[in-house]
Amino acid sequence: MTTPVLRVSHLRKQFGDFTAVEDVSFSIEPGEILGLLGPNGAGKTTTIHMLLGLITPTAGAIEMFGMELAAHREQILQQVNFSSTYISMPMALTVEENLWVVGRLYGLSDIHRRVDDIVKKLEMEEFRHKVTRKLSSGQMTRLTLAKALLTEPKILFLDEPTASLDPDIAHKIRALLKEERRSVGLSILYTSHNMREMEEMSDRIIFLQRGKIVAEGTARAIIARFGQADLEEVFLKLARER
Ligand SMILES: Nc1ncnc2c1ncn2[C@@H]1O[C@H](COP(=O)(O)OP(=O)(O)OP(=O)(O)O)[C@@H](O)[C@H]1O
Ligand SMILES: [Mg+2]
């Protein structure tokens, strides 16, 4: 058996007396795409922030590549990257300058070649010389994805990666992520409120509600279990049962 790239056990996060994440356990295998689904406020972003070491869990364990996050933070985070709409980057730098900075921070070799590569893959040529402050939200999303893929991580945490993308670019991004998974065995944990995308992308889905896992499995298994026509129907059913 292979070691999971990520294993989370009994994870919990409290903010004062409010429990945002409660007793969450799951793992991700190499090359697996796991979709984290749930209504607004379900605890998806909080979970991802704990996995990135941005906030400390109240209880529970996080292991990546067989090592505990708390004890091997630097070594682990070197092989991890993420993208979210809330990332702040130096706004006065151009797109390519920002990517060069990321490359330097991660100590990458061959930075210029890698940046050229990712700019091409994500079709960012048109705005690579633009100042980051002037980007449209879809362009900004692509920049944060480029930043995440640039470091060739083993696991990628994507918080609503396609939220502001037009359908054409969103389609291309999904194809690119699947290709990265196929060619280098990239594992991905991601969130989305687009149910079709969830169905299409995820090998497995975890449905969070008020911080707890209420369903888990392939999209097809979850749909069958709840006796609905598609994932959107399951979502509506679960979300309205609050
Ligand atoms: N720093 C914080 N202090 C207090 N409460 C917080 C904090 N961060 C998050 N929460 C609360 O934890 C709950 C989960 O929030 P989280 O951002 O994880 O939800 P989410 O599933 O990502 O939702 P969305 O789909 O809206 O992005 C929410 O009720 C939120 O208000
Ligand atoms: Mg969120």
Side-chain angles (χ1 to χ4, degrees):
M1 245 186 76
T2 51
T3 316
V5 284
L6 169 72
R7 194 200 309 264
V8 169
S9 325
H10 305 293
L11 197 61
R12 176 185 178 85
K13 180 65 189 180
Q14 292 204 195
F15 295 109
D17 56 11
F18 173 75
T19 306
V21 173
E22 194 167 352
D23 201 24
V24 163
S25 302
F26 64 88
S27 59
I28 303 181
E29 300 300 318
E32 189 177 33
I33 301 183
L34 181 71
L36 198 54
L37 182 62
N40 292 142
K44 304 180 296 293
T45 299
T46 304
T47 300
I48 290 178
H49 284 175
M50 287 191 275
L51 300 180
L52 288 167
L54 296 174
I55 56 174
T56 311
T58 308
I62 300 170
E63 266 179 33
M64 277 182 249
F65 322 111
M67 298 176 281
E68 205 165 329
L69 178 61
H72 299 91
R73 197 186 155 90
E74 206 170 318
Q75 203 181 342
I76 288 173
L77 294 180
Q78 189 74 20
Q79 304 177 68
V80 167
N81 214 326
F82 72 105
S83 133
S84 102
T85 26
Y86 312 107
I87 289 175
S88 62
M89 273 189 245
M91 288 290 160
L93 297 185
T94 66
V95 166
E96 67 176 12
E97 284 167 348
N98 258 316
L99 292 172
W100 292 336
V101 168
V102 171
R104 253 172 251 137
L105 287 175
Y106 273 77
L108 301 182
S109 56
D110 231 2
I111 294 173
H112 285 257
R113 184 195 56 79
R114 286 209 214 192
V115 168
D116 289 350
D117 224 39
I118 204 77
V119 160
K120 201 161 157 218
K121 271 190 183 167
L122 291 170
E123 299 187 19
M124 296 165 60
E125 284 99 341
E126 224 176 276
F127 57 91
R128 71 181 292 168
H129 302 296
K130 243 194 206 182
V131 168
T132 300
R133 174 173 27 85
K134 294 187 180 168
L135 298 182
S136 76
S137 63
Q139 291 169 339
M140 190 66 197
T141 303
R142 266 183 281 171
L143 172 56
T144 63
L145 271 169
K147 177 212 76 101
L149 286 166
L150 183 69
T151 63
E152 297 175 2
K154 292 211 172 76
I155 182 162
L156 201 51
F157 299 115
L158 303 176
D159 202 358
E160 302 185 33
T162 56
S164 52
L165 300 179
D166 72 53
D168 174 45
I169 290 292
H171 180 85
K172 286 174 178 156
I173 298 290
R174 288 195 288 270
L176 173 70
L177 291 173
K178 282 188 184 168
E179 172 55 25
E180 293 293 314
R181 172 268 273 285
R182 197 195 57 76
S183 61
V184 298
L186 175 67
S187 302
I188 302 172
L189 173 69
Y190 84 108
T191 75
S192 173
H193 289 298
N194 178 337
M195 296 304 112
R196 270 181 56 199
E197 173 172 299
M198 268 282 160
E199 278 184 46
E200 182 201 318
M201 289 290 288
S202 312
D203 297 313
R204 210 152 43 85
I205 290 171
I206 285 180
F207 199 119
L208 271 188
Q209 188 156 23
R210 279 178 287 173
K212 290 186 191 156
I213 297 179
V214 293
E216 184 173 359
T218 61
R220 193 182 296 182
I222 292 178
I223 292 163
R225 185 185 136 197
F226 288 91
Q228 302 294 320
D230 55 29
L231 203 56
E232 179 130 357
E233 297 291 323
V234 175
F235 189 101
L236 294 176
K237 180 174 160 59
L238 280 171
R240 286 171 183 170
E241 269 172 8
R242 283 192 237 212

